[in-house]
Each structure stands twice: as structure tokens, then as C-alpha cells.
Amino acid sequence: SNYADILKDELFYNAMGFTVKSAVLLIVLANIAGFLFALALNRKIKSRNVLRAIIFCPFIFNNVTVGFIWQFLLGRFMTDLYPLTGWGIFNTGWLSDERLVLYSAAAVKLWQCIGYFMVIYLAGLQLLPQDPVEAAVIDGCGIIRLFLQIVCPLLKPGIVVIVIWQFLTSWNEFFLAMCTLTKESVKTLPLIAQQYNGAYFSQPGTLFAALTLITIPMLVFYIIVQKQFVKGLTAGAVKG
């Protein structure tokens, strides 16, 4: 009965769809943005250490702090700027419009974690063996082909770690989502589970059923990729 109630709940399906879309979007953006930042800051340029620190800094903030910062910036701050500028971008419901909230929430999470992804790719680039790259360049390999056939396979452990970490983080997102998602129809799965255990209303059986359904996909995903995850974490630990 409890599982049947959950499976009939439209909000649960909405949360499932939002969580899956958010995870996929963030996995793609995390790998692209992390690699580009790492590639740019892997060069010998002045102040690269300062730039790395600035980009990494948001990662040390807790989710509640990040959530309230962006709730203010995308909410009241933009609303106050609209009368002064008249620009439509400041009169947009970035966290209330159902068409935009997915991208707004993904951008906030990416801003927080981009430094972590950059560090992973920096470690991969610095441990990247140069012989295959130099041989490919001498043979006339183009930039795109070099990246897809040489660099990507060599950076596979780092890519796998980012994919797994981002999927698990997106699937379990609670505090950041609680601070930024204001629409009842747009919630993550943990937020939907919370509604069955309120201060004045509690459904322990339904809550347990919801948590079980939320946990099963995550366990299956981790069982499938656990070997790649361990391999990715230990890559570069031993040279030679």
C-alpha cells in the first residue's frame, strides 16, 4: 500500500524527472567546464595559483551558504535591480519559472563544484604521459582527433570519478535544493521524501517506501561502476 501510494504520487514522478535531468546536465557541464578550466590553468602563466584558488574557493562553502547566497542574488537582488535598469533579465524568475529553474539550479551547483572538477583534471593533465601525445602530433594528428583518441582515454579515470561523484551528489541533493527550489512542483527526490515526515504530519510507512525507491537506483548504479570508481580514485597514486 505504501509503495502504491508513492507510485501514484505525481510529485514523486516530477521529482524523479527533475533529479535525473539535473544529474545528466551537471555530468555533461562538469566534465566540459572542469576540463577547460584545467587546460587553461595548467599553463605557465602568472597568477595561475591565485586563479586556481579563486575558482576552488566556492567548493569549501557548505550547501546552505551557497543556497542562500544564490537565492538572494537570483531573487531579491535582481528584483531590486530591475526598476533601476529596466532590463528584462532582472525581471526573470530564475528560481520560480519551471522552464528555467533546472538550468538555474544546475548553474548554482556547477559554480560551487567547478573548482573540484578542475583539480581532478589538473591532476590528470599533469600525470598525462607526453610520449603518446608527441607521437600523435608528429604523425599529423589534428586537435579534435588528438583529444578524442589520445587525451580522453588517458584521462578516463578522472572522467569516471567526476561522473560518479556528480551523479551521487545530484541524486542526494537536499540542503542546496531546499534553499533554492521554491516551486512545489519542482523538487529533488530527498525533498519529496521529507514531505512525508513533517512537524505536524508524519507517514513513516510511506517515508520508508519513498527512501527505498530513491536508494535502489543509486545502489544499482554504484554496483555497476564501483570498479571504475576505485580505479579512478587510485589512478596516479603509484607511478611507473
Side-chain angles (χ1 to χ4, degrees):
S1 175
N2 292 321
Y3 289 97
D5 292 340
I6 290 293
L7 295 175
K8 292 178 183 178
D9 191 347
E10 184 180 353
L11 291 178
F12 181 81
Y13 285 105
N14 290 340
M16 178 74 74
F18 180 84
T19 303
V20 171
K21 292 177 184 177
S22 177
V24 172
L25 180 61
L26 280 168
I27 285 171
V28 174
L29 294 177
N31 279 286
I32 294 175
F35 177 77
L36 292 178
F37 274 104
L39 193 64
L41 296 179
N42 193 42
R43 300 179 180 180
K44 294 181 179 180
I45 58 175
K46 294 181 179 179
S47 72
R48 70 174 181 177
N49 291 333
V50 175
L51 293 174
R52 289 176 182 176
I54 292 173
I55 296 172
F56 185 80
C57 187
F59 185 69
I60 68 177
F61 298 159
N62 64 62
N63 287 337
V64 175
T65 301
V66 173
F68 281 125
I69 288 174
W70 283 99
Q71 185 186 57
F72 170 75
L73 292 177
L74 296 176
R76 182 177 176 180
F77 180 71
M78 283 197 168
T79 302
D80 292 342
L81 286 179
Y82 178 67
L84 300 176
T85 62
W87 296 352
I89 190 173
F90 295 129
N91 195 34
T92 302
W94 295 102
L95 297 177
S96 58
D97 191 332
E98 293 185 9
R99 298 170 299 176
L100 300 174
V101 65
L102 172 65
Y103 306 103
S104 301
V108 171
K109 189 64 179 179
L110 186 65
W111 174 82
Q112 181 190 19
C113 300
I114 188 64
Y116 176 69
F117 306 140
M118 178 193 68
V119 168
I120 292 177
Y121 273 116
L122 274 172
L125 289 173
Q126 291 173 1
L127 293 173
L128 194 68
Q130 296 300 311
D131 292 343
V133 177
E134 293 174 356
V137 172
I138 293 173
D139 291 340
C141 183
I143 295 178
I144 297 178
R145 188 178 177 186
L146 176 67
F147 175 74
L148 294 177
Q149 297 187 1
I150 304 296
V151 176
C152 272
L154 293 174
L155 292 177
K156 182 181 176 181
I159 296 174
V160 170
V161 169
I162 291 176
V163 169
I164 297 173
W165 187 89
Q166 188 57 69
F167 174 81
L168 297 179
T169 301
S170 299
W171 198 263
N172 294 300
E173 189 59 67
F174 180 78
F175 289 109
L176 182 59
M178 182 177 63
C179 297
T180 55
L181 301 181
T182 57
K183 296 283 290 185
E184 185 65 27
S185 58
V186 181
K187 300 289 184 182
T188 59
L189 287 171
L191 287 179
I192 290 297
Q194 185 201 28
Q195 74 180 6
Y196 299 111
N197 187 34
Y200 304 102
F201 177 75
S202 181
Q203 293 177 288
T206 308
L207 173 63
F208 181 80
L211 293 176
T212 302
L213 292 175
I214 292 171
T215 305
I216 288 175
M218 186 172 56
L219 288 176
V220 172
F221 176 79
Y222 183 74
I223 289 172
I224 294 173
V225 300
Q226 61 176 324
K227 291 183 179 179
Q228 293 293 333
F229 183 65
V230 174
K231 183 179 179 181
L233 288 177
T234 56
V238 180
K239 283 191 174 183

